[in-house]
Every structure is written in C-alpha cells, then in structure tokens.
Amino acid sequence: MAAGTSSNVHLHDITDVILSNIFSLETETRTRNAMSLVCLKWLLVERSTRKSLTLRGNIRNLFLLPTCFRAVTHLDLSFVSPWGYPLLDSFSNPLVLAQFLRHAFPSVVSLIVYVRNPLTLHLLASQWPNLQHVKLVRWHQLWPAAPVGSDLVPLFDHCPMLSSLDVSHFYCWTEDLPPVIQAYPSIATSLSHLNILKNDSSTDGFKSHQLLSITACCPNLRKLLATCIFNPRFIGFISDQTLLTLALNCPLLSLLHLADSTSMSNVRPNLIEDASISFATLGDVFSKLPLLEELVLDVCHNVKHTWPALELLNTKCPMLKSLRLGQFQGICRGIASPPDGVALCQGLESLSIKNCTDLTDKALIAISHGCHRLSKFEVLGCKQLTRKGMWEFTNNLRKTLVDVKISYCKNLNAVSSLQALEPIQDRIVKLHIDCVWASIIGEEKSLKNWSKLKYLSLWIAVGELLNPLSLSGLNDCPSLEEIQIKIQGDCRDQPKPFMDAFGLSSLTCYPNLTRMMLDCSGVTGYALTAPVGHTDLSLWERFFLSGIQDSTLNELNYWTAQDVDVNQRCLFLPAAGLLAQCGSLRKLFIHGTANEHLMMFLLGNPTLRDVQLREDYYPAPDNDTITELRVGSCCRFEDALNSSSRHVPD
C-alpha cells in the first residue's frame, strides 16, 4: 500500500499461518502467557504452538493438569510438587496417571523427569515410545539392593529411538551404565549425545575401562561429557592410551568434555601432582577428532609442555570454537614474534584457562593477538597475571569480548580486575569477579558506566562484606538484571559477624536487578546448638539475608548453608522472617529444607506466587517422616499459598 494512504487492515486479518509463525518465535513463558490473554484466537494459537512446557503443580491435583498443549514436544516433570517425591506414588493406580500424562501430551519426544524409584521410569517410558531425548534427575540415595542398571533398563526397553541421554543430575553408580549400553547395541549405535558428567564432587568418576566400554558401543556419538579419574594413583585412571582409544571409538565427536571428579569440589586446588598424559599423545588425539567444535579437558593434575599439541588444534580441528583447559601448563610461551601454542587457534570464540601456573602477561597478550575472535574468556587460578597484562588483553579484544570471568588470580583483586576490563567496560554483558577487597581504599576507580552489563557473578569468602562492591567501580550498571553470589568458607572458624548485615541492601543501586542466586551451600557451620564461643548458622543466615527486604527482586534462588556433620541444610527463623518482608518477590526457590511453621511465615509476603523446596544436593534427605520433609506439610503450604482468599497482585 502506498505511503500515506489509510488502511482498514486489522491485526485479526493476519493469516493463521503467519500468526502461528510469529508465536513460534517467542520462547519466553510469561510473554507467551500475556499474549494468550489478548483474545480467544490468540489463546488457541499460543497453546497450539507451545513446544516446551515445565509442570510445576502438585501431582495430586490431577484435575488441574492442562490438556490444551498437545503440540508440546519437550516436557519437564522434574519440578512437580512435592519436589523429589516419587512422581506416580500419589495414586493407587499409577498406570492410570502415566496414561493420563500421555493423553495430555501425546507429542512428547524430549523428557526430563525425577526418578526416585524404578517404577517411575518403567511406567512413563512405555507411554512415549518415540522418546529421543531423556534427562534423568535424582539426588536421593539409591534403593537398597537394586540390581546394577535397573533404573535404566526400562528406558532402553521401551524407547528404541533414543538418541540423547543425560544423567548428569542422576545419582547412580558408575557401574550401572556400561552393562545397559552393551545390552542394547542398536540404541547404543544411535546415541549421538551422552552426558555422564556428574555435577557433584561426592560421586566417583568413570574409570578408564568403563569409559572405553561405553564409547566402543557408541561409535556415532557427536557429544560426550563425562566425569573421569585422572589421578594416576587411582586404579582405572585416564592415561594416554585411554584418550587415544576413545578418539578411535568416537571419531565423529563435535563436543568432548572430560573432567576429573575433583573439579566439581568447592576446595581450591593443590597443584602438585602430574597427570599421566603427554603432549605427544594429545597431538595424536586431536588429529583423530577433526570435527571437534568444543573441547574441555579439566584434568586437575598437571599436564606439562602442552604448547606443541595445542598448535595442532588449529590445523587438525579447524571447526573448534570453544576450548577449556584445566591444569595445562605451557599452553603459550609468548616469547616468539609469531604466535605459538593456543594462540594459533584463530577460530576460537570461547577460551577458559584454569590453574595454568606459568601463564604470564606476555603469553596472555600473545593469545589476544592470535585468538582475535574471542567473545568469552575465563581465567582461574593463574597467579602470574597482573592488571597490566589483563588490560592489554581486553584492549586487543575490545571489539569482540563480552563475557569475562576472573577468579582466584593472586594479583587481580576486585578493583584491579575491574580496572583491567576498562577497555570493554561499555560492551561487556556478563562478568564474574572475586570479591577480594584488599587495598580497595586509595585505589583509583573507573567512573565509566557499565551500560550493557546484564549478568554479574561474585565469589566472596564467609565473613567478608558485600558493601564495597559499589565502591570498587561497579556502582553504575543500569542494565543489570541478574546477580549470582557464591559465599564460601567455614563459619566454625569465624568469630561472630562484626556487622549486622552482609550488604544486600547495597544492591539497591541497580535499578533493573530482578533475579538473584544467593548460594551459601559452600558455607559450613553448626545447624544445631553451637559450642561455647561459636555462632550457629541461624545468626549467620540473618547476617547474609539482612537487607534483602529493601531489594526489588522478583525471583530468588537461595541455597542454604550446611552442617556437614549431620547432613543438614535448612531454613532458619531469621531467614523466613526476612524473606517474608521482601515485598516485590514473586518466585522463591529454597535449595534445602524448612519446617512447615517457618514456611507459613512466607505467606505474609503479598506478592509471593511460586515457592518450592528443592533438596538438589547429594545425599538428599531420605527420611520423609521428619518435620521438614513431610509430604503433607508441603501440600498444606501450597494450598495456603494458592488459596483463593489470598490476593496476589499481578
């Protein structure tokens, strides 16, 4: 239509096909829900184009199960309430419930489910025989005397089209998987994605023969993530021959992620032992994996003189875009005029270097010249780096670098880290630093605005304060939307906090901050009565959370501190009272346990709409008779939270 002419075309005149395509492009759940409220037609279109759905209701309220999302292909059942309770045990006839789920979501090919006992997977897998992608979740201990691999057999029995399996959050023995893989050769051959990377340091890694047994049965793997044993003192450690055989077994790999089991620990590393891996073998491995796009080798034991092997990555793995190296030494000499070592990997867009004790400023600058496409960079435990070298690095990459993590580097405290990032201060989107405040007073601060910073991650030692954050140069972040704070340390060795509050009230200087992850899982102390002269965790929890009532957060994930002696991670009275006063909070997820009467405190928060307890740590408490874990307690709280008499402004 010519410019300036009037038109009577209405939004409803858009054809159904175009409207469906528009809806399909929107993936954010709340936005889609808002769009569905416009009119009945839009409601029907939104429901018919929804491809992914996470169920959060109580499984006993079956009448509330939606039946209008029949096009959903990805279904997440791992957050159904009560969290961690056997999914189908709420009904006398669990098969009927499984069939009802299949009827409501007939198109599912991707499933995430919490498998507390073998019955869950036995009944659900048979309902969706076309499943291709499955992620299993379990933090509770194994059933006593369960046969090896019994949890996985139903899945392989009923889902012949399985191509992707993720057990990274599924507690099981390493002995469970190999025999099941071997028993189903056709499925093993069709697997293209296998994630056996355990996210908990208490779990043993896969031994060499187990890993080779799995990969020998899965020659078509494109993505492999696994927790291994690289310590040569242990039986079944990963050796040169293991890596070579693995590369021969799976030549089509585009993603290879191998990490030592100790890499998941909160304990800072002790760099004394060498791995049984040579740089010559690494070069041969890279030559046999020409399709690699992402490589992670987090060995946690020294691999020395690696620069000749890393030079081969550029020619032997030309598609490599992401590289993460843990405890690799000599990755770049930085002494010659042409780049060497990892600096020759010109196609890299993401690079992570961890515990490289000989990485110098000159080597870092050489990497910035060679890897000129880097958009993401992480450096952890590299103690020779200085502010000057890091400044030169970011200056050379100021046109591409938007995601940076600097952690556990002796010469880079909070202020010096921020000063080193000055060249990209107006471009960076995601940042992690350690809150080490030494010498913050008197240091020159940068006054420029961090205009594009949306995500901030912080590590801070227990007993330290958060208040100096805004004084260190991070006071002007107008776009900051999400912050993650990891607190770590032993409260038992600390005196009583000398201040009333940790400093969460200082975050009010960020006007758009709406989401927070406050992780105190690395804090240990006394959950019960503390010995004379010590402070129990309830007072520390008051210290950590004081000031949160002044925030504008609408979503909070809170990991409680722990008493390792009694395996207790619970919410205390001070925390319940403070969280109830956070007047803007809409979603609250507590990663720990809580007494029912403390949970009822939260009902005093008028905006709170979504609350859940998640014991997503190993071993999750297994005794359902104690006060914190009674299913009835969770149900009564949810009933009160969702009561029609409770008005929630929206």
Side-chain angles (χ1 to χ4, degrees):
M1 184 174 291
T5 61
S6 62
S7 171
N8 293 322
V9 177
H10 192 274
L11 193 61
H12 288 312
D13 295 329
I14 298 176
T15 63
D16 291 345
V17 173
I18 295 177
L19 192 62
S20 296
N21 289 335
I22 293 173
F23 271 75
S24 299
L25 294 174
E26 179 56 57
T27 57
E28 208 277 321
T29 302
R30 292 204 72 189
T31 302
R32 289 187 66 102
N33 289 338
M35 293 166 68
S36 70
L37 297 175
V38 172
C39 63
L40 179 59
K41 180 180 179 179
W42 282 34
L43 172 65
L44 296 175
V45 172
E46 195 283 322
R47 298 302 188 249
S48 65
T49 57
R50 184 80 69 96
K51 297 297 182 182
S52 178
L53 187 69
T54 299
L55 288 186
R56 276 281 292 105
N58 196 303
I59 195 63
R60 65 179 180 151
N61 299 326
L62 197 57
F63 67 96
L64 295 177
L65 185 69
T67 57
C68 53
F69 297 101
R70 300 185 65 81
V72 163
T73 57
H74 173 78
L75 181 63
D76 188 347
L77 299 176
S78 63
F79 296 116
V80 170
S81 292
W83 187 93
Y85 188 72
L87 179 65
L88 305 178
D89 284 13
S90 301
F91 293 81
S92 57
N93 191 341
L95 178 59
V96 173
L97 175 57
Q99 291 172 340
F100 195 73
L101 286 169
R102 189 268 317 274
H103 175 74
F105 309 105
S107 305
V108 170
V109 295
S110 175
L111 178 67
I112 305 177
V113 61
Y114 197 101
V115 182
R116 182 76 176 267
N117 59 38
L119 178 64
T120 301
L121 204 53
H122 177 76
L123 294 178
L124 287 181
S126 61
Q127 303 304 316
W128 291 297
N130 294 327
L131 282 177
Q132 299 174 15
H133 312 282
V134 175
K135 179 177 180 178
L136 306 180
V137 182
R138 179 171 64 200
W139 294 97
H140 289 83
Q141 299 183 62
L142 298 173
W143 278 59
V148 173
S150 59
D151 287 309
L152 300 171
V153 168
L155 180 63
F156 283 72
D157 265 341
H158 297 292
C159 303
M161 300 179 66
L162 191 67
S163 62
S164 173
L165 178 61
D166 185 342
V167 292
S168 58
H169 291 92
F170 182 70
Y171 182 77
C172 61
W173 303 119
T174 56
E175 293 84 359
D176 286 336
L177 189 59
V180 178
I181 292 282
Q182 291 172 337
Y184 295 85
S186 61
I187 296 180
T189 302
S190 65
L191 279 178
S192 61
H193 182 182
L194 181 60
N195 188 345
I196 51 177
L197 184 71
K198 299 301 181 181
N199 288 294
D200 191 272
S201 60
S202 62
T203 306
D204 292 332
F206 285 85
K207 294 181 172 62
S208 176
H209 69 277
Q210 294 171 333
L211 191 61
L212 295 182
S213 173
I214 293 171
T215 56
C217 297
C218 306
N220 295 313
L221 280 179
R222 265 56 171 192
K223 298 181 179 181
L224 174 63
L225 301 90
T227 305
C228 310
I229 299 174
F230 283 98
N231 191 336
R233 296 173 181 242
F234 284 57
I235 297 174
F237 68 91
I238 303 299
S239 64
D240 282 349
Q241 188 58 46
T242 307
L243 293 178
L244 282 170
T245 307
L246 186 152
L248 289 171
N249 288 345
C250 303
L252 303 179
L253 284 174
S254 62
L255 186 159
L256 176 61
H257 186 139
L258 300 179
D260 190 86
S261 56
T262 59
S263 67
M264 310 298 173
S265 172
N266 286 326
V267 179
R268 298 276 170 143
N270 185 12
L271 314 175
I272 53 174
E273 295 194 50
D274 294 342
S276 184
I277 298 174
S278 66
F279 69 85
T281 298
L282 285 174
D284 293 338
V285 170
F286 300 154
S287 300
K288 292 174 172 59
L289 297 173
L291 302 180
L292 269 185
E293 298 178 21
E294 183 175 349
L295 175 63
V296 179
L297 293 174
D298 196 350
V299 179
C300 292
H301 297 79
N302 291 321
V303 183
K304 297 182 176 179
H305 312 300
T306 57
W307 63 268
L310 296 176
E311 288 184 349
L312 293 175
L313 279 174
N314 187 49
T315 54
K316 302 301 182 181
C317 306
M319 302 171 65
L320 190 69
K321 296 292 187 295
S322 177
L323 178 63
R324 179 179 172 186
L325 302 173
Q327 226 146 309
F328 274 51
Q329 313 301 333
I331 62 172
C332 178
R333 294 177 296 173
I335 56 176
S337 52
D340 68 298
V342 73
L344 287 178
C345 300
Q346 300 178 12
L348 283 182
E349 297 174 3
S350 174
L351 176 62
S352 175
I353 304 171
K354 178 180 178 183
N355 299 331
C356 181
T357 57
D358 58 4
L359 183 67
T360 62
D361 286 347
K362 289 184 177 180
L364 190 65
I365 295 169
I367 292 173
S368 69
H369 287 297
C371 306
H372 56 274
R373 298 181 182 177
L374 285 180
S375 62
K376 178 179 180 180
F377 180 68
E378 298 180 349
V379 59
L380 302 90
C382 300
K383 300 185 178 181
Q384 293 195 43
L385 297 183
T386 67
R387 179 179 62 184
K388 180 180 179 181
M390 196 67 195
W391 190 96
E392 289 285 348
F393 177 86
T394 57
N395 186 55
N396 292 337
L397 295 169
R398 61 187 178 277
K399 294 182 178 180
T400 60
L401 198 59
V402 294
D403 185 347
V404 177
K405 179 176 183 178
I406 303 173
S407 181
Y408 197 49
C409 295
K410 182 175 67 173
N411 299 317
L412 292 168
N413 59 31
V415 173
S416 56
S417 295
L418 295 175
Q419 291 173 339
L421 299 175
E422 187 271 337
I424 59 170
Q425 196 168 336
D426 59 343
R427 292 181 47 85
I428 190 167
V429 175
K430 191 172 182 180
L431 170 64
H432 172 93
I433 60 170
D434 288 354
C435 295
V436 178
W437 308 125
S439 71
I440 188 173
I441 299 176
E443 288 202 32
E444 181 184 354
K445 318 298 188 304
S446 175
L447 301 175
K448 283 176 62 177
N449 146 314
W450 302 75
S451 58
K452 295 185 179 179
L453 185 65
K454 293 186 176 181
Y455 176 89
L456 177 62
S457 173
L458 305 170
W459 176 93
I460 187 167
V462 69
E464 294 290 334
L465 299 177
L466 187 63
N467 303 80
L469 180 65
S470 58
L471 303 176
S472 65
L474 270 175
N475 57 307
D476 192 1
C477 306
S479 301
L480 187 64
E481 299 173 353
E482 182 174 354
I483 189 169
Q484 178 176 358
I485 303 173
K486 171 75 173 180
I487 308 174
Q488 185 176 339
D490 195 337
C491 292
R492 296 171 297 187
D493 301 331
Q494 297 282 336
K496 181 180 179 180
F498 64 95
M499 297 286 284
D500 293 334
F502 170 59
L504 291 183
S505 59
S506 65
L507 301 180
T508 55
C509 67
Y510 306 124
N512 291 313
L513 183 63
T514 57
R515 296 187 301 276
M516 178 190 289
M517 289 181 280
L518 181 59
D519 187 355
C520 300
S521 62
V523 176
T524 56
Y526 298 104
L528 306 176
T529 304
V532 177
H534 295 268
T535 305
D536 62 32
L537 284 176
S538 65
L539 292 179
W540 279 101
E541 196 166 53
R542 182 197 300 273
F543 169 71
F544 293 139
L545 287 172
S546 289
I548 199 168
Q549 65 272 22
D550 302 324
S551 71
T552 57
L553 296 174
N554 58 39
E555 182 175 334
L556 172 64
N557 276 266
Y558 175 53
W559 283 262
T560 59
Q562 61 173 319
D563 186 330
V564 292
D565 294 331
V566 295
N567 187 34
Q568 186 170 357
R569 309 187 189 199
C570 61
L571 193 75
F572 294 97
L573 177 61
L578 290 167
L579 292 173
Q581 298 176 51
C582 189
S584 60
L585 200 60
R586 181 181 175 87
K587 296 183 178 182
L588 173 62
F589 305 113
I590 300 171
H591 302 261
T593 63
N595 286 289
E596 181 180 354
H597 71 280
L598 294 182
M599 294 296 290
M600 291 300 180
F601 273 63
L602 301 176
L603 299 177
N605 188 329
T607 61
L608 205 55
R609 184 66 183 86
D610 191 2
V611 182
Q612 191 172 48
L613 291 176
R614 300 173 182 171
E615 299 95 41
D616 48 359
Y617 50 89
Y618 181 81
D622 202 31
N623 186 354
D624 291 341
T625 63
I626 65 176
T627 307
E628 294 93 333
L629 299 174
R630 288 176 183 160
V631 172
S633 299
C634 294
C635 293
R636 284 191 293 271
F637 171 75
E638 289 180 353
D639 288 343
L641 183 69
N642 299 317
S643 171
S644 58
S645 62
R646 183 172 177 268
H647 175 68
V648 179
D650 195 359

